[in-house]
Amino acid sequence: MENIIRIAVQKSGRLSEDSLALLKECGIKFYNGGGKLKSPSSNFPIEFLFLRDDDIPGYVADGVADIGIVGENELVEKNKEVVTLHKLGFSKCRLSLAIPKGQEYSGLEYFNGKNIATSYPRILENYLAENNIQAEIHEISGSVEIAPSIGLAEGICDIVSSGSTLMMNGLKEVEKIFNSEAVLISHKGLNGEKQAIIDKLLFRINAVQTGKSNRYVLLNAPNGALEKITSLIPGMKSPTILPLAEEGWSSVHSVIPEDQFWEVIEELKDAGAQGILVVPIEKMVI
């Protein structure tokens, strides 16, 4: 099977949904219904393996899968020999220390001599060692939040997104120790043919991600304000300027980075721009 690549994707959950949504936006067609654990694409040389998230680094390291999408938390915890190709910008979360709400917390020294329950013993052990904290780590595979209430541990170390799960279990977040997002990883020994396919996939992923991080803007401007307005929205090379039917006015088309959007829009209005339209970009190839 030298002419296709295998990609390992989490079989369920938010990371799975986000991963499959990205690949569909890349124009890759596949079927993943009915509990299938393996599915080929009908229009791209790729086959999907649907796995547990904590198994993905091992499958890629062993060469069963050529590439995989996994959270950085699982990647670092499993410590497998793989190559990180690309950060994907979704499924962001953090690994944090938490303690019962009623406990006073003055700093990391709180955990000296304490028991901490976690599903991420490697990351936690490294963090505690770096900060000279002596604590007992209890590795458990799930339901970490219950550990303090049943007397197993005085604190926990677990993945946090919104913090609502901690609150529901009477806990409070006290230290953030690791930030995570989805990453694309690959086997270290891929041949040139498979690497070429992966390069094509990365090209599509970059086009989708770049599109999402920018907005297409169209506006009307008096010709006397064009120099100022075009300096605010230089675009990929330069803005497109078209004359309007009304003399003395032009239409300006350009691209604005999403993270600068509101600030730039305010400056455009102050510079005399009118009739500003903003359109999402599906894909953007630079």
Side-chain angles (χ1 to χ4, degrees), residues 46-118:
I46 192 168
E47 181 178 50
F48 291 79
L49 303 179
F50 298 103
L51 308 170
R52 284 169 48 97
D53 60 341
D54 53 355
D55 288 335
I56 291 175
Y59 271 67
V60 174
D62 293 341
V64 176
D66 300 302
I67 58 175
I69 297 177
V70 67
E72 285 178 292
N73 54 306
E74 290 293 346
L75 178 61
V76 172
E77 182 61 32
K78 297 306 178 187
N79 195 33
K80 299 294 185 179
E81 289 291 321
V82 298
V83 179
T84 300
L85 295 176
H86 193 66
K87 291 196 173 187
L88 297 173
F90 57 77
S91 296
K92 292 184 177 182
C93 60
R94 58 193 180 273
L95 190 62
S96 295
L97 289 163
I99 63 174
K101 285 181 182 178
Q103 294 292 320
E104 290 188 13
Y105 184 76
S106 57
L108 267 177
E109 295 76 16
Y110 171 91
F111 292 100
N112 269 320
K114 299 287 199 307
N115 298 293
I116 308 174
T118 186

Side-chain angles (χ1 to χ4, degrees), residues 66-67 83-87 183-186 190 195 198 202:
D66 300 302
I67 58 175
V83 179
T84 300
L85 295 176
H86 193 66
K87 291 196 173 187
V183 291
L184 182 69
I185 61 174
S186 79
L190 296 180
Q195 189 60 55
I198 292 170
L202 283 169

Side-chain angles (χ1 to χ4, degrees), residues 198-236:
I198 292 170
D199 289 343
K200 290 180 180 180
L201 176 61
L202 283 169
F203 173 80
R204 296 189 185 195
I205 289 173
N206 280 317
V208 171
Q209 288 186 315
T210 305
K212 286 184 176 181
S213 62
N214 290 277
R215 292 292 181 266
Y216 189 74
V217 61
L218 306 85
L219 59 88
N220 297 328
N223 289 343
L226 285 177
E227 184 176 353
K228 172 64 174 176
I229 287 173
T230 54
S231 71
L232 295 172
I233 47 174
M236 291 179 284

Side-chain angles (χ1 to χ4, degrees), residues 92-233:
K92 292 184 177 182
C93 60
R94 58 193 180 273
L95 190 62
S96 295
L97 289 163
I99 63 174
K101 285 181 182 178
Q103 294 292 320
E104 290 188 13
Y105 184 76
S106 57
L108 267 177
E109 295 76 16
Y110 171 91
F111 292 100
N112 269 320
K114 299 287 199 307
N115 298 293
I116 308 174
T118 186
S119 300
Y120 300 93
R122 181 186 297 274
I123 296 175
L124 177 58
E125 182 180 8
N126 291 340
Y127 179 81
L128 295 177
E130 289 169 3
N131 289 278
N132 299 312
I133 301 297
Q134 302 295 321
E136 188 71 25
I137 297 174
H138 289 271
E139 182 179 359
I140 55 180
S141 59
S143 302
V144 175
E145 294 86 359
I146 200 174
S149 66
I150 62 175
L152 178 63
E154 289 84 13
I156 70 165
C157 177
D158 202 19
I159 289 296
V160 178
S161 293
S162 66
S164 59
T165 303
L166 292 179
M167 292 180 61
M168 287 189 294
N169 287 277
L171 302 173
K172 61 181 178 183
E173 183 179 7
V174 293
E175 297 285 347
K176 301 171 187 176
I177 73 170
F178 186 84
N179 290 315
S180 176
E181 66 180 271
V183 291
L184 182 69
I185 61 174
S186 79
H187 181 63
K188 295 186 73 172
L190 296 180
N191 61 37
E193 188 172 323
K194 288 190 174 184
Q195 189 60 55
I197 298 171
I198 292 170
D199 289 343
K200 290 180 180 180
L201 176 61
L202 283 169
F203 173 80
R204 296 189 185 195
I205 289 173
N206 280 317
V208 171
Q209 288 186 315
T210 305
K212 286 184 176 181
S213 62
N214 290 277
R215 292 292 181 266
Y216 189 74
V217 61
L218 306 85
L219 59 88
N220 297 328
N223 289 343
L226 285 177
E227 184 176 353
K228 172 64 174 176
I229 287 173
T230 54
S231 71
L232 295 172
I233 47 174

Side-chain angles (χ1 to χ4, degrees), residues 213-218 232-233 255-268 276-280:
S213 62
N214 290 277
R215 292 292 181 266
Y216 189 74
V217 61
L218 306 85
L232 295 172
I233 47 174
V255 172
I256 300 178
E258 174 67 21
D259 58 0
Q260 301 172 21
F261 174 76
W262 290 110
E263 293 80 3
V264 172
I265 289 295
E266 290 171 0
E267 292 183 79
L268 288 171
I276 302 173
L277 299 178
V278 180
V279 181

